[in-house]
Amino acid sequence: MTIGIEHYLTLGALLFCIGFFIAWSKKNAIGVLIGVELMLNAVNLTLVAFSRFGSAEVALSTQVFVVFIIAVAAAEVAVGLALALVVYRNRQTISVDRTTLLRG
Amino acid sequence: MSDFGFHLAFWSLGAMTIGGASMILISRNLIHAVIWLVMSMLGVAGLYLTLSADFIAVVQVLIYVGAISVLMLFAIMLTPRAERDNSQNIKTAGPAGLVVLMVMIATMWVAIDTDWGAVREAALTEQARLIGESLIKHYILPFEIGAVLLTAALVGAIALARQDDEDAAIHAASLQAELEGEGAVDPVDVVDPPIAADASDSEASS
Amino acid sequence: MTDPAGLVSVLGSTLGAWYDFRDLNNLQRLITEWIADWGPDWLASIIAGVLGTLGILGVIGPTLLILIWVERKVIARFQQRYGPNRVGPKGLLQPVADAVKLILKEQLAPRAADKLIFFLPPVLIFVPGVLIWGVLPFGPRMSVADLNVGVLFLLAVSGTTVLVIFMAGWSSNNKYALFGAMRAVAMSISYEVPMVLALLTLVVFSGTMSINGIVQWQQQEDVIFILLFPLSAIAFFFAASAELNRTPADISEAESEIVAGYHTEYSGMRFGLFYAVELGNTLVVSAFIATFFLGGWWLWGLDQWVPSWIILLVKTGAVYFLLIWTRGTLPRLRVDQLMGFCWKALVPATLLFVVVAFVERTLLISEGWDTTVALPVMAVINIALTLGAIVLFARVSRPAPLRRPARIRMAGAQIGGLRAARQVASRTEEPQLQVGGD
């Protein structure tokens, strides 16, 4: 059996779904961020697989896209964790279901 | 891509990635979860290597293992009285599982069933140079926007996470007043603690 | 330089032969080529990896034992005492005795420790410590893996050490261990910034991220980088010694403040592993400083006569001595001093030099200047800039004058410490303290 693009895409899909479930179900804000990171990694894996197996035109642009995703993920984590700190400072908790001041 | 070494690398790294991700799901301690996340990220970096994307792989290790996970650990340490417990799920976790299962079946079906065409044998070489050149030639505008975004995130994170001197002064003053039984303090009086703060600053920097 | 044609051609004929001691990689190359003849590719690459790792471990294991002795002896000289001198001739077997003691000791684990994470770090910390050696070029063709993203690999791998240290400190469930770990993490991620910026000047100027490529650039242009970018070299030296937790910056294991830092709870050989990896990292960092800034295995044509790895070893030894020297001379800094020095001094200075490197590289390429003329001029300009930056830093950070200047009124303060010590020694009829020689 040859390992081809299907294997990588399946792996990426699996990773994405695990991250999706973590991001959806976890109570802790940092847990949610971990899930989001997993999802972004799954997308990166898929893109790099396309870069390796896809046509020659997309080989470079997908990798540049991955670099951008990593940069945006770093920014997202920095701001997300700072938000978690602020929420903790004001409400002594970072559970996403207990910060409900804006609920109507 | 069919020899034994490649199979070994792919399956072991895939197991590492998925295993680490699953352990995040079931680990009860948040710090354990971050360490499992690191394991998963290292697995993904190894998978990049099997796809001969060495620049992306090294950047992955540098950013995720060296920076993001450490940032998460710091955030966990700085929120001491919050729940370190990772096992609690929100109420809609059950339906969420169903939805995720459906998404998983759909995406995996697409991934397996689609005919992705012929395999291209030659991989990109000299990726660092190529990516760098295309970043400052073809993708110069996104590159600039990314730079602005990172700067904004940096400033925003500092502005958010920083304990305000004014807030701290007001807080300390009201605590003091409470202790001495004088009641509430007018915030304006203590907004600018002039001499003491300056003196301590100069001492610290010298 | 006159071409020593006869000798070079004689030496050149042995190039590639397994007994050519100038290139120790030949043997490994021969073995892997022989396996690739009859075996599958993956077996050849696995064998190559195993041989490389064994080679690295075989070199650094004994070297560490000697280094422990060297460091203790040199530090002792700096502090005017003898150092280890009981076990073996001149105390040479002291490290072996220490190792035996550490192995025989009981390995305790706190009851409240997080068991799995507590047991992992002494093992895990070896992984980056060994991996870093893989990209170090000992010669033109002598590195386990000559990656074309070598500099990035170096930074990525050394960055993972932080995580292991955090795991060690957190899982011990000890207040001081956690303090040490948090200090180590905060300091490492701060000092990584000037480190990256200092290396960025080299990458920008030489136009390659391969470590061997940087050495070959220096060979080709006949210049070493410490002359071109002295401030980057100084900043890299400081940042590296901070990342290594060595004495001017060892706040993460300051024994007068927080017991032993992140490895407080590790006893026996577990502590020994931390210690060994710390020493090994010091060695590899000196090797990388020698490679990046002192020309690595190349030394103005001497590498044709002497095996390149010996040149690298000598340069590494010189840098290592410099590290011991700073350790023996400077007192420990406070946390805020260290952080302030990183963010207020090193980061702006290295950033300035990144800009300088960009400008000079662009001028070199676009104007098409002759590098034999342009590079010395640039070197002079950069050295002047470095001196200016250092003088400016000294002016700005001059300590504030005390309000009441106090005169030292200690007895014998007029004569220096050394002379006072000699007088005391001669008065009490003990063996005279000798400073130089043995």
Side-chain angles (χ1 to χ4, degrees):
Chain A
M1 189 175 65
T2 311
I3 288 180
I5 189 169
E6 303 87 10
H7 293 78
Y8 285 97
L9 294 187
T10 313
L11 200 65
L14 203 56
L15 193 61
F16 183 86
C17 293
I18 295 175
F20 193 19
F21 185 67
I22 291 174
W24 193 335
S25 65
K26 286 296 169 196
K27 238 181 189 181
N28 198 310
I30 296 173
V32 175
L33 271 176
I34 290 175
V36 174
E37 287 309 308
L38 277 182
M39 287 158 76
L40 286 169
N41 261 276
V43 172
N44 283 353
L45 186 59
T46 313
L47 280 173
V48 175
F50 277 124
S51 153
R52 176 69 182 80
F53 294 104
S55 63
E57 301 97 68
V58 301
L60 187 58
S61 49
T62 41
Q63 295 211 2
V64 174
F65 210 93
V66 170
V67 171
F68 279 123
I69 290 180
I70 290 179
V72 172
E76 170 243 323
V77 167
V79 175
L81 292 178
L83 280 174
L85 277 190
V86 174
V87 169
Y88 171 76
R89 202 173 288 151
N90 288 328
R91 304 187 51 92
Q92 308 294 313
T93 177
I94 49 172
S95 283
V96 285
D97 61 341
R98 280 166 61 189
T99 50
T100 52
L101 270 185
L102 281 182
R103 182 178 282 172
Chain B
M1 303 230 134
S2 53
D3 70 341
F4 171 73
F6 195 86
H7 273 267
L8 182 70
F10 176 80
W11 291 113
S12 56
L13 288 168
M16 189 171 156
T17 308
I18 298 298
S22 318
M23 288 306 288
I24 298 172
L25 203 55
I26 58 174
S27 74
R28 307 177 66 84
N29 191 321
L30 204 53
I31 287 185
H32 288 192
V34 174
I35 286 163
W36 288 117
L37 174 76
V38 167
M39 183 174 140
S40 186
M41 298 292 172
L42 285 176
V44 173
L47 286 172
Y48 292 160
L49 281 184
T50 64
L51 290 165
S52 56
D54 46 2
F55 177 72
I56 303 282
V58 175
V59 166
Q60 165 95 2
V61 176
L62 186 65
I63 306 251
Y64 278 102
V65 181
I68 288 185
S69 60
V70 174
L71 209 59
M72 283 181 170
L73 289 174
F74 250 79
I76 296 171
M77 303 310 292
L78 287 176
T79 53
R81 271 167 294 172
E83 291 90 6
R84 292 262 172 85
D85 195 6
N86 192 39
S87 60
Q88 287 179 320
N89 292 333
I90 61 170
K91 285 170 200 153
T92 55
L98 278 181
V99 173
V100 168
L101 206 63
M102 271 155 29
V103 171
M104 187 158 87
I105 290 168
T107 47
M108 284 170 79
W109 185 70
V110 168
I112 293 170
D113 191 60
T114 312
D115 180 23
W116 296 102
V119 173
R120 189 164 53 83
E121 278 305 324
L124 226 55
T125 52
E126 285 262 309
Q127 289 152 6
R129 184 180 296 276
L130 283 176
I131 290 174
E133 275 174 2
S134 67
L135 269 183
I136 59 168
K137 281 180 183 156
H138 193 243
Y139 296 99
I140 182 69
L141 190 64
F143 180 65
E144 298 278 340
I145 295 174
V148 171
L149 174 76
L150 279 177
T151 316
L154 191 71
V155 175
I158 293 173
L160 280 176
R162 175 168 178 271
Q163 185 129 34
D164 235 345
D165 283 347
E166 292 181 15
D167 287 354
I170 294 170
H171 187 65
S174 53
L175 261 185
Q176 188 75 27
E178 239 172 66
L179 284 178
E180 291 169 3
E182 285 179 8
V185 178
D186 188 7
V188 184
D189 291 340
V190 286
V191 156
D192 196 10
I195 301 134
D198 284 354
S200 65
D201 273 355
S202 66
E203 240 175 58
S205 64
S206 63
Chain C
M1 189 180 135
T2 56
D3 183 35
L7 195 61
V8 167
S9 69
V10 168
L11 287 177
S13 65
T14 63
L15 198 73
W18 65 269
Y19 50 82
D20 181 9
F21 61 92
R22 287 174 304 164
D23 192 346
L24 301 178
N25 246 11
N26 280 333
L27 194 58
Q28 185 215 6
R29 216 171 285 134
L30 271 179
I31 293 174
T32 47
E33 275 167 15
W34 174 66
I35 291 174
D37 275 347
W38 53 266
D41 283 349
W42 58 269
L43 188 66
S45 33
I46 288 179
I47 296 279
V50 168
L51 279 178
T53 315
L54 283 183
I56 290 170
L57 288 177
V59 170
I60 57 174
T63 316
L64 282 184
L65 283 183
I66 300 169
L67 272 183
I68 295 174
W69 179 80
V70 168
E71 179 144 3
R72 289 181 63 178
K73 213 62 175 165
V74 174
I75 284 280
R77 288 291 146 161
F78 279 119
Q79 296 167 349
Q80 299 189 11
R81 52 189 175 86
Y82 287 117
N85 60 357
R86 293 297 160 134
V87 193
K90 292 193 183 297
L92 257 173
L93 293 179
Q94 184 69 42
V96 181
D98 284 349
V100 170
K101 182 198 80 173
L102 283 177
I103 290 171
L104 291 180
K105 261 180 148 179
E106 186 185 358
Q107 308 200 343
L108 302 165
R111 194 178 295 160
D114 194 310
K115 286 292 180 299
L116 178 68
I117 301 187
F118 184 77
F119 290 132
L120 277 178
V123 184
L124 284 185
I125 202 157
F126 249 86
V127 177
V130 173
L131 270 182
I132 286 183
W133 285 91
V135 289
L136 181 68
F138 289 91
R141 299 194 302 160
M142 262 178 75
S143 55
V144 178
D146 186 15
L147 304 177
N148 60 355
V149 285
V151 175
L152 218 54
F153 177 86
L154 166 71
L155 292 169
V157 168
S158 64
T160 54
T161 315
V162 174
L163 201 70
V164 182
I165 288 178
F166 181 87
M167 282 164 69
W170 178 77
S171 64
S172 300
N173 209 348
N174 175 321
K175 177 166 57 177
Y176 298 112
L178 189 59
F179 279 158
M182 292 305 271
R183 283 180 173 194
V185 171
M187 204 170 65
S188 306
I189 56 180
S190 302
Y191 273 91
E192 204 142 276
V193 178
M195 211 163 154
V196 171
L197 289 175
L199 288 184
L200 190 59
T201 50
L202 309 192
V203 171
V204 163
F205 207 75
S206 62
T208 177
M209 271 209 283
S210 148
I211 295 177
N212 209 9
I214 288 179
V215 178
Q216 271 159 354
W217 187 91
Q218 300 180 54
Q219 185 187 25
Q220 192 188 326
E221 305 290 344
D222 235 5
V223 68
I224 52 176
F225 263 123
I226 193 170
L227 295 177
L228 267 176
F229 295 105
L231 194 62
S232 298
I234 296 170
F236 189 83
F237 183 82
F238 274 117
S241 67
E243 293 242 331
L244 290 169
N245 297 328
R246 288 178 69 84
T247 287
D250 70 339
I251 50 162
S252 64
E253 40 196 79
E255 57 279 281
S256 56
E257 299 167 20
I258 47 170
V259 193
Y262 56 89
H263 51 63
T264 301
E265 292 289 356
Y266 287 91
S267 56
M269 204 50 209
R270 293 205 193 109
F271 161 74
L273 289 177
F274 276 114
Y275 187 68
V277 170
E278 215 160 85
L279 261 183
N281 282 344
T282 315
L283 186 66
V284 77
V285 158
S286 2
F288 271 111
I289 291 175
T291 301
F292 284 131
F293 294 102
L294 300 180
W297 46 263
W298 164 80
L299 192 75
W300 283 292
L302 192 70
D303 47 312
Q304 297 207 327
W305 299 87
V306 183
S308 50
W309 48 275
I310 288 186
I311 296 180
L312 181 69
L313 274 188
V314 170
K315 288 179 178 175
T316 306
V319 178
Y320 194 87
F321 178 74
L322 213 58
L323 276 171
I324 300 180
W325 192 355
T326 49
R327 182 184 163 183
T329 312
L330 296 175
R332 179 181 300 133
L333 294 165
R334 286 200 317 261
V335 183
D336 58 321
Q337 285 171 331
L338 269 174
M339 289 292 179
F341 182 62
C342 175
W343 288 109
K344 292 176 195 159
L346 285 185
V347 171
T350 44
L351 254 183
L352 170 78
F353 264 74
V354 170
V355 175
V356 168
F358 267 110
V359 171
E360 288 178 349
R361 166 86 171 166
T362 315
L363 282 178
L364 264 188
I365 290 181
S366 64
E367 304 288 317
W369 285 343
D370 186 11
T371 48
T372 50
V373 182
L375 285 184
V377 174
M378 287 175 180
V380 170
I381 294 175
N382 290 349
I383 290 173
L385 271 177
T386 303
L387 290 178
I390 291 174
V391 169
L392 188 72
F393 172 71
R395 282 285 172 85
V396 169
S397 67
R398 181 191 293 166
L402 292 173
R403 215 163 279 160
R404 279 175 300 139
R407 286 249 300 284
I408 302 166
R409 291 183 193 282
M410 252 158 49
Q414 278 82 7
I415 49 174
L418 190 61
R419 273 170 63 198
R422 276 195 179 144
Q423 280 187 356
V424 170
S426 62
R427 220 177 287 150
T428 49
E429 290 185 357
E430 271 173 13
Q432 278 258 329
L433 214 59
Q434 290 178 350
V435 179
D438 203 333

